[in-house]
Amino acid sequence: MSPATATRPRKVRHVASVGDPVLLITGASSGIGAATARRAAEAGYRLVLGARSKEKLEALASELGGAERAIAVPADVMRWEENEALVAAALDTFGRLDVAFANAGFGAKRGWLEETPEHWHDMVLTNVLGAAYTVRAAIPALRETRGHVLLTGRSPEGRPSPAASTRPPSGRSPRWPSRSAAT
């Protein structure tokens, strides 16, 4: 494979099936969210992609098979009604919701004093309240399918710390006990 084709996004080809599970991902326009969307599409999931970046979402939805396989729903997880709209889009388009991945979030520069209080305010609202809103909005639909919630956690420093990478026998980090969780 040439370097030019190695970096070009490939279209995921999967024949649509009404029985294919539906995965809602917040923060889907980049990073972990986009990578998860690509892997889930390869595994046969239909996708509801949520993030604030409409252009990136639309490009990713197109890459993953277009409207039959993936839809782009611009949303800010800090707004309750936009989380409701994500779930409604899943139900209106695909008729079900099987997994909600509350992944939207962002970090701060290393160190507690490197960002403004306003940055921290928005970060906490997005990372904590936004995830809670996503989960709360998805629960009724997930009960219908006996579905699942996935959460992404981040350390306040935006990356694992040496203390967090040392795991005691319990498997929990001594510094950040709930860096990530899945239920």
Side-chain angles (χ1 to χ4, degrees):
M1 182 181 297
S2 75
T5 56
T7 59
R8 190 174 7 165
R10 65 181 190 279
K11 278 226 182 227
V12 174
R13 303 246 186 254
H14 185 86
V15 177
S17 168
V18 174
D20 287 343
V22 177
L23 169 60
L24 181 156
I25 304 171
T26 63
S29 62
S30 63
I32 293 169
T36 301
R38 288 182 179 101
R39 294 294 295 266
E42 290 171 359
Y45 281 83
R46 295 174 291 166
L47 302 163
V48 178
L49 307 172
R52 292 179 289 182
S53 176
K54 181 179 178 181
E55 296 77 23
K56 288 181 180 179
L57 284 178
E58 289 174 348
L60 183 59
S62 176
E63 172 191 334
L64 300 178
E68 287 186 16
R69 299 300 311 166
I71 59 170
V73 183
D76 182 342
V77 297
M78 290 193 304
R79 299 182 184 279
W80 166 247
E81 62 279 356
E82 293 185 25
N83 284 280
E84 288 181 305
L86 284 166
V87 174
L91 299 175
D92 292 346
T93 304
F94 300 122
R96 62 186 293 152
L97 178 61
D98 298 280
V99 183
F101 182 21
N103 173 65
F106 62 93
K109 293 176 186 172
R110 193 165 191 84
W112 288 86
L113 301 176
E114 300 299 317
E115 297 289 358
T116 65
E118 293 78 14
H119 179 91
W120 280 85
H121 176 267
D122 290 347
M123 181 179 68
V124 170
L125 285 180
T126 299
N127 297 359
V128 179
L129 185 62
Y133 278 171
T134 300
V135 171
R136 171 62 182 87
I139 286 173
L142 294 172
R143 281 185 175 158
E144 293 294 319
T145 60
R146 298 180 54 86
H148 303 278
V149 169
L150 302 174
L151 302 171
T152 298
R154 293 158 179 87
S155 76
E157 297 164 340
R159 61 187 69 105
S161 66
S165 62
T166 305
R167 302 267 183 233
S170 69
R172 293 189 174 208
S173 165
R175 186 165 173 200
W176 301 108
S178 60
R179 287 189 15 195
S180 62
T183 50

